[in-house]
Amino acid sequence: MGVELHLGDCGDILPTLPDNSVDSIVTDPPYQKQYLPLYQFIAQEGARILKPGGSFLAIVPHYAMPQ
């Protein structure tokens, strides 16, 4: 069983990954409010690249939970 880890800017990495090719996404984007749009970007790309039944785990700042 092989494991591949991608570490870097999600804006650079996620668009290069094929559809339905990832078992899990674990992410901890910056907490400043200016980075909130990253969560939407990651979620949209995640829906495309995650395999059926895959996991999406994101660390979210408490102030952003309502969004």
Side-chain angles (χ1 to χ4, degrees):
M1 174 181 185
V3 174
E4 189 172 329
L5 174 66
H6 295 269
L7 176 63
D9 187 315
C10 67
D12 296 331
I13 295 170
L14 296 180
T16 68
L17 301 175
D19 295 355
N20 301 312
S21 64
V22 174
D23 292 309
S24 66
I25 296 171
V26 179
T27 185
D28 186 9
Y31 286 3
Q32 293 89 351
K33 289 183 180 181
Q34 71 218 43
Y35 295 107
L36 283 178
L38 282 177
Y39 290 90
Q40 182 175 355
F41 171 76
I42 296 168
Q44 288 173 334
E45 284 293 305
R48 179 185 67 77
I49 65 174
L50 278 173
K51 293 178 182 177
S55 298
F56 175 55
L57 306 164
I59 307 300
V60 179
H62 69 281
Y63 68 82
M65 292 301 291
Q67 287 120 346

